[in-house]
Amino acid sequence: MLLDIYEPGQTPLPHEGERGLAVGIDLGTTNSVVAVAREGRAEVLRDERGRALLPSVVSYGAQVVVGHEARADLLDAPERVVSSIKRLMGRGASDLKALAGVLPYELGPAAEGGMARLSIGGRLLTPVEISADILRALAARARKALGREVDRAVITVPAYFDDAARTATRDAARLAGLEALRLVNEPTAAALAYGLDSGVEGLYAVYDLGGGTFDFSLLRLEKGVFQVLATGGDTALGGDDIDHAVAERLLAERAAAGIGGVVDARLAKAALALGRIAKECLSSQDTWSGTLDAGGAPSRHSLSRAQLDELVEPLVERSIRICRQVLSDAGVPPSELGGCVLVGGSTRVPLVRRRLEEFLGRPPLGDIDPDEVVAVGAALQAEALTAGSDTLLLDVTPLSLGLETMGGIVEKIIDRNTPIPVVRAQDFTTYEDGQSAMAIHVVQGEREMVDQCRSLARFMLDGIPPMVAGAARIRVSFAVDADGLLTVSAEERVTGRQARVEVRPSYGLSEDEMASMLRESLDNAQDDMDARLLAEAKVEARRTLNAVRAALAADGALLSAGERAAIEDLASEVEAALSGADRDAVVAAAGGLEEGTKIFAERRMDRGIRAALAGRSIDRLEL
Amino acid sequence: MNLQHDISAEPAPAPLACWSCAGPVAPEALFCATCRVVQPPRPIDHFARLGLARGFAIDPREVERSYFSLQRQLHPDRFATRGAREKAISQAQAVALNDAYETLKGTLSRAEYLLGLGGDVPADDRTIRDPELLMEQMERRETLAGARDAAGVETCIGAAVADTMSIEAELGDAFAAGDVAAARRAALRLRYLRKLVDEARARHARLLGGE
């Protein structure tokens, strides 16, 4: 079986007695939100000043500060503040070189696995660590608001996030001490928030203009089933781009007026902050004016909504083009949509709503606050996963997954918009006589050439016995789980020689790096690992115990009184071990119980087979 | 060739051992009747997996109802708080269901799957050996290539979609009559037509997008 991908101790912490609450987290580019659902009602958790949004900004001074306070540091000490880190999730050092000069951070030497590291306030930090700091702040807020332990979460990701970015998000949760119950795509979460509130049915679209990413998804809602039919997007298009466009205009005006000197990090960040204020202001007013002040050289600026529209137009056009492509792929004309849900603060920009209305032929839905709708949906899903529910999310792969073949051409193994979880396999062969190894290069994307797709992982299948070219049968299997994470394995079918990797993305953290980060972040990392292993062993032992109890209740008559007493004794030993904290004792007692019930199991099977034979002879009589 | 599934000819199912309680469990059971634990997917065909009679003529709403109701019971989201083995088994079940659903919901994939169950080897994508079919395809491609604007491409798509519907009807008739050769030929025509429509749609979107 392909899907047994967990190593001991690597599984999410299983259910174990009285657990903390599970929350929903929208880990956004610009802002993050945490919410909790109880009995189907979701509540957004606010800070002591009643604010739902936690700016996804971290300041690394003497202490690590997250949120509004960190954003305040942007003006005083920009060199130690990080914002929009989500844009760098799953990105390698080489990806970021291309962006050098554009990024408001300094890059440090890359981590071992090639993951980018930023140099901030004298520290070297990966995007995973920075995101973990934001998650810790959200968990702390939830604990304070709820007065309970919070250790599990459903975390949302853009539908268009690739495998590397998804893995990075899971790693960040682990580092923050949260079990990620499930990664849910943001548009799906938004639909869940709407669907449960109004019981809608039919085809719906979700237009999600986040801070750094754009997604457009088509879903079918039917009797509690949320089925994603198609999704598309752009990981480099977001509300931040509007802020950038406005900031560039402000800086150009300033330069034209001959005010101030060169554009440094401080001035750039001040211009960005002012650009965001102008955007927000122009969503409700027709004109805006403000002062850009950095280094004691103030400049006055003003902007009308028409001027903002002009700046935003090309970005909105790009998004509409994606909407059109997604609907066209699915063969659904815009007129067949029951509605379109808006997600993301930037969807408040009037031009966005106007263009979307022109495209759809009806106004989009914005009843739920577009900044909070994703966290609300995530919270509902967190409750559904832990407390049970009738709703069901059926999601798809956002991007095609494939392999490099001869000439750098991509052979697609799993097409985009395939329902997950999914396993697909394809056979390849050797192209040289005596070839003993085969390089497997896994890529993600829609283009035909490898260098235009995203490289996810490379590994070797070696030890292929010498054969003539074309004689070996190498089966490569791709498995995508319900979180959208990929596992790839390869097997030489003639000899059974196997190689398997859980795809750690090319730019991901290695297990060693992860382990050392965990050690640094938790004083008791070893205890944490031990607790995980113990909990896993207990879950399995409890299942064995329940199985034997059920069998005794159903087929106890197959045992003599003495045999039954012996099994009861073994069961009590398992119970005793379960009340303790000795993993070896739990495993040994459960093993003993399984061993001690073998004869019982044989008798049950014998009787079952006899019953089936008897059943068949009755069928024959009827024929 | 008989494409209908004859249930009475199957041997009576012998029970399998439940992986958890080791007792007998019916081969078609999703959960053990004794200990209630989820069972791994069995090697059965896609029709049996979704509880449908084997045949080309199936109600798409029936496929959907069955798929949704099974996913409700078997999807990994239902096992989020369970042990690793149960999670892995639920995942394997959900994979098998997705595979069955994806194959049976579309007319072309369902037809090719049925032909495959009857021992047919799927047609090679790149070569057309039937001269009549080849001519038909070339004419269609020329018409599409000749379309200069979005409206022209739309006309091509409209014509191709109308033909798709009539070929689907032919396909249904061929399966109903048990005419494998006719079914194979109709499936092949449908495959080429689908490809053409996909390309035309992509071109249409590009023309509208102004790229």
Side-chain angles (χ1 to χ4, degrees):
Chain A
M1 169 150 336
L2 248 177
L3 287 162
D4 52 342
I5 57 175
Y6 292 118
E7 296 294 326
Q10 299 283 301
T11 62
L13 198 60
H15 189 71
E16 168 65 1
E18 180 62 16
R19 288 291 308 267
L21 280 172
V23 294
I25 292 178
D26 172 7
L27 182 61
T29 308
T30 318
N31 293 297
S32 295
V33 182
V34 56
V36 70
R38 280 172 289 195
E39 282 156 31
R41 310 288 321 162
E43 181 198 349
V44 173
L45 302 175
R46 294 166 197 279
D47 65 8
E48 56 282 356
R49 290 171 60 181
R51 294 175 298 202
L53 302 189
L54 177 79
S56 303
V57 181
V58 190
S59 174
Y60 290 92
Q63 285 189 325
V64 178
V65 180
V66 182
H68 294 278
E69 293 76 13
R71 198 152 80 179
D73 283 350
L74 263 177
L75 294 175
D76 307 330
E79 67 286 348
R80 64 168 195 241
V81 182
V82 190
S83 58
S84 296
I85 194 61
K86 188 175 175 181
R87 288 192 151 188
L88 305 191
M89 289 295 266
R91 302 271 143 187
S94 49
D95 291 336
L96 300 192
K97 286 226 179 75
L99 295 169
V102 182
L103 286 174
Y105 327 107
E106 267 184 54
L107 294 178
E112 205 181 298
M115 180 179 272
R117 275 195 300 196
L118 310 182
S119 169
I120 299 143
R123 308 179 198 210
L124 281 176
L125 295 162
T126 62
V128 170
E129 291 165 287
I130 296 163
S131 295
D133 282 325
I134 299 170
L135 288 171
R136 275 191 203 101
L138 292 165
R141 173 190 285 193
R143 280 182 202 113
K144 200 167 172 193
L146 298 167
R148 294 237 343 235
E149 175 58 8
V150 171
D151 56 5
R152 292 175 294 173
V154 166
I155 300 173
T156 59
V157 292
Y160 226 54
F161 245 23
D162 63 27
D163 191 71
R166 281 168 201 266
T167 305
T169 305
R170 257 197 177 281
D171 287 348
R174 198 169 149 204
L175 209 51
L178 286 170
E179 180 196 338
L181 282 168
R182 179 75 77 234
L183 301 180
V184 173
N185 290 334
E186 286 158 11
T188 319
L192 190 60
Y194 269 90
L196 288 186
D197 270 15
S198 45
V200 286
E201 299 211 341
L203 289 171
Y204 281 78
V206 180
Y207 179 97
D208 179 357
L209 186 59
T213 54
F214 171 72
D215 282 327
F216 184 77
S217 301
L218 176 67
L219 291 99
R220 187 168 47 181
L221 275 57
E222 196 181 297
K223 296 185 186 73
V225 178
F226 294 72
Q227 186 185 23
V228 181
L229 299 176
T231 191
D234 188 336
T235 45
L237 171 64
D240 282 3
D241 293 313
I242 301 178
D243 305 351
H244 274 278
V246 177
E248 271 169 35
R249 185 189 167 102
L250 300 181
L251 289 172
E253 284 177 355
R254 195 175 151 93
I259 300 168
V262 288
V263 180
D264 56 11
R266 178 170 299 201
L267 178 58
K269 283 185 184 177
L272 265 180
L274 199 62
R276 195 182 62 241
I277 291 168
K279 171 185 79 179
E280 287 171 4
C281 181
L282 287 170
S283 291
S284 53
Q285 296 174 20
D286 289 333
T287 57
W288 164 87
S289 61
T291 304
L292 178 56
D293 191 356
S299 53
R300 285 291 292 171
H301 303 270
S302 67
L303 205 63
S304 70
R305 187 182 286 173
Q307 286 169 318
L308 177 72
D309 285 356
E310 213 173 285
L311 291 173
V312 176
E313 176 83 49
L315 302 171
V316 179
E317 235 357 274
R318 252 167 81 192
S319 76
I320 297 288
R321 217 152 40 216
I322 292 166
C323 299
R324 193 177 284 126
Q325 183 66 50
V326 169
L327 292 184
S328 156
D329 276 0
V332 172
S335 58
E336 275 184 27
L337 293 180
C340 178
V341 172
L342 293 177
V343 181
S346 294
T347 59
R348 292 200 183 89
V349 171
L351 183 73
V352 170
R353 296 191 179 213
R354 210 162 63 231
R355 281 281 175 277
L356 201 52
E357 184 171 345
E358 283 167 16
F359 172 64
L360 299 169
R362 69 169 74 201
L365 305 167
D367 312 352
I368 305 181
D369 186 325
D371 281 321
E372 298 178 5
V373 64
V374 167
V376 165
L380 291 167
Q381 180 66 359
E383 195 196 20
L385 291 178
T386 50
S389 142
D390 276 345
T391 62
L392 181 62
L393 297 187
L394 299 171
D395 226 318
V396 298
T397 52
L399 296 156
S400 301
L401 293 159
L403 283 180
E404 174 170 357
T405 59
M406 291 279 282
I409 294 167
V410 178
E411 174 82 23
K412 282 181 187 164
I413 308 286
I414 297 178
D415 283 329
R416 69 178 154 163
N417 295 329
T418 300
I420 52 173
V422 62
V423 178
R424 292 274 158 84
Q426 195 146 323
D427 287 346
F428 294 87
T429 190
T430 45
Y431 56 88
E432 272 175 18
D433 288 343
Q435 186 178 338
S436 65
M438 186 179 227
I440 313 270
H441 182 201
V442 183
V443 297
Q444 184 163 39
E446 306 313 314
R447 308 293 289 272
E448 281 180 18
M449 300 305 293
V450 165
D451 52 12
Q452 295 166 328
C453 288
R454 184 156 172 73
S455 167
L456 288 181
R458 290 171 189 274
F459 67 99
M460 288 295 277
L461 176 71
D462 49 21
I464 301 172
M467 281 182 258
V468 293
R473 282 280 164 274
I474 291 143
R475 173 157 294 183
V476 181
S477 300
F478 280 44
V480 179
D481 69 12
D483 284 325
L485 293 170
L486 172 68
T487 308
V488 178
S489 61
E491 183 187 5
E492 204 293 297
R493 307 268 290 168
V494 180
T495 59
R497 165 87 193 155
Q498 279 200 29
R500 178 188 298 181
V501 284
E502 181 175 347
V503 171
R504 297 297 297 184
S506 302
Y507 303 126
L509 294 171
S510 69
E511 268 303 314
D512 286 351
E513 285 172 318
M514 189 74 206
S516 78
M517 280 181 190
L518 274 173
R519 267 199 300 282
E520 282 163 27
S521 71
L522 298 169
D523 305 328
N524 47 0
Q526 188 57 46
D527 293 354
D528 181 67
M529 188 65 157
D530 291 345
R532 218 169 261 272
L533 287 168
L534 175 64
E536 270 169 38
K538 283 190 173 184
V539 166
E540 287 301 329
R542 202 165 282 136
R543 183 192 46 71
T544 303
L545 188 61
N546 288 341
V548 170
R549 291 247 164 85
L552 282 176
D555 299 325
L558 295 171
L559 295 168
S560 71
E563 286 167 336
R564 186 172 179 130
I567 292 177
E568 301 274 13
D569 282 349
L570 290 169
S572 317
E573 276 173 38
V574 175
E575 260 183 7
L578 279 171
S579 63
D582 180 349
R583 175 172 173 252
D584 292 341
V586 172
V587 172
L593 181 59
E594 273 184 8
E595 193 61 36
T597 49
K598 276 206 168 135
I599 290 171
F600 180 35
E602 276 167 25
R603 285 185 204 159
R604 294 171 64 214
M605 280 306 293
D606 283 349
R607 196 174 70 165
I609 289 166
R610 276 200 305 278
L613 288 173
R616 187 166 71 170
S617 60
I618 290 167
D619 282 348
R620 281 199 179 143
L621 286 176
E622 282 171 356
L623 289 170
Chain B
M1 185 176 73
N2 182 12
L3 292 171
Q4 293 301 309
H5 191 61
D6 192 353
I7 289 164
S8 63
E10 292 287 300
L16 303 168
C18 167
W19 67 272
S20 179
C21 78
V25 53
E28 70 280 5
L30 302 172
F31 295 87
C32 172
T34 308
C35 72
R36 314 263 162 217
V37 165
V38 66
Q39 299 298 307
R42 311 294 184 199
I44 50 178
D45 72 55
H46 293 329
F47 292 97
R49 175 101 47 222
L50 293 180
L52 304 166
R54 192 191 286 190
F56 181 75
I58 53 176
D59 179 355
R61 279 166 309 182
E62 186 65 30
V63 177
E64 217 122 78
R65 256 199 303 278
S66 172
Y67 168 70
F68 286 163
S69 118
L70 289 165
Q71 280 288 28
R72 264 182 207 288
Q73 303 172 58
L74 297 169
H75 193 274
D77 279 0
R78 291 284 178 271
F79 297 81
T81 57
R82 310 305 280 267
R85 287 168 79 181
E86 281 173 85
K87 279 183 184 169
I89 290 171
S90 109
Q91 183 131 299
Q93 281 280 13
V95 165
L97 282 176
N98 278 335
D99 203 10
Y101 172 68
E102 283 288 284
T103 306
L104 298 190
K105 76 173 177 184
T107 43
L108 177 60
S109 54
R110 185 166 71 241
E112 288 180 339
Y113 179 67
L114 262 177
L115 290 168
L117 286 178
D120 233 44
V121 181
D124 184 341
D125 243 18
R126 284 163 272 266
T127 51
I128 305 183
R129 290 198 182 79
D130 180 338
E132 203 183 315
L133 187 54
L134 184 64
M135 273 315 278
E136 182 188 318
Q137 287 309 311
M138 283 172 65
E139 276 168 26
R140 280 185 205 284
R141 295 207 163 265
E142 274 165 29
T143 317
L144 178 62
R148 286 278 153 255
D149 53 9
V153 176
E154 263 167 54
T155 312
C156 284
I157 295 175
V161 168
D163 287 350
T164 301
M165 274 151 54
S166 78
I167 298 174
E168 282 175 355
E170 274 175 41
L171 198 53
D173 293 343
F175 276 112
D179 185 345
V180 176
R184 192 181 295 141
R185 197 175 137 76
L188 195 59
R189 282 179 72 200
L190 196 54
R191 166 174 279 267
Y192 286 117
L193 209 51
R194 283 281 166 80
K195 230 168 137 183
L196 184 90
V197 171
D198 285 349
E199 281 167 31
R201 285 217 168 107
R203 186 156 161 229
H204 187 246
R206 276 199 303 277
L207 285 168
L208 283 182
E211 275 173 22

